[in-house]
Amino acid sequence: MDHYSSQPLPGSNNEAQLLALYPMVHELVGDTYFHLLSETYANHYNEDSSPEQFGDRFGLLLLKHYMEHPELDKLAVLPEVARLEWLMHDSEMSEDLYVLNAAQLDTVPVEAQPQICFHACPSIRLMYSRWPLHAIWQAFQQGDMSHLSREGGEEWLCIYQEHLNQQDKVTVETLNDSLAQLLGAILKGYTLEQLCQLDLDVQRYLPILVQKHWLDYFTLKDA
């Protein structure tokens, strides 16, 4: 998670902190424009933010710049890129417990099963975008954003911590509509009965969420 460190170096200025939070935006706009954005943010957007939330309104600044300069097509995607990067930072600050034991589901009495409530891992963030953000993120990971296509988009993204070899790494994955809808309903706290009432393909997609380790645990909600 080198690009999304939450602890700026001592003495670092606002621009350095924003650069740590928004490396993809920086890559897309270059040093000069990013410097301008950083100064504007420090002067007009930072006063109401706590130190822990520094940079959370950067996407609003980018949206304002695009609305003021709609002729600059390149600016249109920036607010969404910034939203993705902030969600990645936010995900990194979360701590997954992952204590779900799927075998324990078999111990739940049949009459209580409709009240099963699954809890997604705290690092899970769900995002919908009309831009090909996943391709942009992949290009950044590969170190080459010079040939980005404006085609595509209209995609669901899941931002989460991948736990491999005792290391946590924030990653991004695209979801189909059905899986995204189920995950979204779980994030809202719906019970198993409510999930089924929404006509979601629970039988097909719930095991996928379990296999991906995106569910932390389950509880029984009072009827």
Side-chain angles (χ1 to χ4, degrees):
M1 292 185 276
D2 296 338
H3 293 300
Y4 298 94
S5 174
S6 63
Q7 300 295 330
L9 295 176
S12 61
N13 57 25
N14 289 332
E15 184 172 353
Q17 295 179 59
L18 288 172
L19 178 58
L21 289 168
Y22 299 102
M24 287 193 291
V25 172
H26 172 256
E27 186 75 17
L28 288 171
V29 303
D31 293 337
T32 302
Y33 194 60
F34 195 86
H35 176 72
L36 172 65
L37 291 169
S38 299
E39 287 192 332
T40 304
Y41 189 84
N43 291 332
H44 301 287
Y45 287 81
N46 190 36
E47 295 180 356
D48 299 329
S49 298
S50 65
E52 295 79 13
Q53 292 295 105
F54 175 80
D56 62 331
R57 302 170 68 192
F58 195 60
L60 292 177
L61 171 61
L62 294 171
L63 179 60
K64 180 176 182 292
H65 270 237
Y66 171 62
M67 293 178 68
E68 292 175 347
H69 304 281
E71 72 280 3
L72 300 178
D73 292 343
K74 187 176 182 180
L75 296 180
V77 70
L78 293 182
E80 289 290 89
V81 174
R83 184 158 69 103
L84 172 60
E85 296 203 89
W86 180 258
L87 289 177
M88 294 185 71
H89 165 72
D90 199 41
S91 174
E92 184 183 18
M93 296 301 97
S94 304
E95 184 176 352
D96 294 338
L97 299 175
Y98 193 64
V99 294
L100 177 66
N101 182 353
Q104 291 180 343
L105 291 169
D106 296 332
T107 67
V108 178
V110 174
E111 63 274 13
Q113 290 179 4
Q115 301 308 313
I116 290 176
C117 186
F118 294 99
H119 298 263
C121 292
S123 72
I124 293 286
R125 302 291 182 274
L126 187 62
M127 175 181 178
Y128 181 80
S129 176
R130 63 188 183 92
W131 296 96
L133 293 187
H134 190 256
I136 294 174
W137 175 77
Q138 285 184 317
F140 179 73
Q141 300 302 306
Q142 296 165 3
D144 183 9
M145 301 180 75
S146 59
H147 302 290
L148 292 176
S149 172
R150 296 181 183 179
E151 302 298 325
E154 299 288 334
E155 59 189 12
W156 283 100
L157 299 174
C158 182
I159 300 100
Y160 64 100
Q161 288 185 26
E162 190 174 31
H163 309 292
L164 294 173
N165 302 321
Q166 298 184 335
Q167 292 185 342
D168 301 334
K169 177 183 178 182
V170 174
T171 190
V172 182
E173 185 173 325
T174 57
L175 307 182
N176 64 40
D177 288 347
S178 298
L179 187 56
Q181 289 169 8
L182 176 59
L183 180 57
I186 288 175
L187 288 168
K188 292 178 181 177
Y190 288 5
T191 64
L192 184 58
E193 180 179 37
Q194 291 170 324
L195 295 177
C196 295
Q197 289 174 347
L198 290 173
D199 198 27
L200 300 174
D201 195 345
V202 177
Q203 186 173 3
R204 178 179 179 183
Y205 289 105
L206 186 60
I208 294 177
L209 295 178
V210 173
Q211 293 167 7
K212 288 180 174 294
H213 304 304
W214 288 358
L215 301 181
D216 227 15
Y217 60 96
F218 74 90
T219 56
L220 294 178
K221 185 172 288 188
D222 294 335

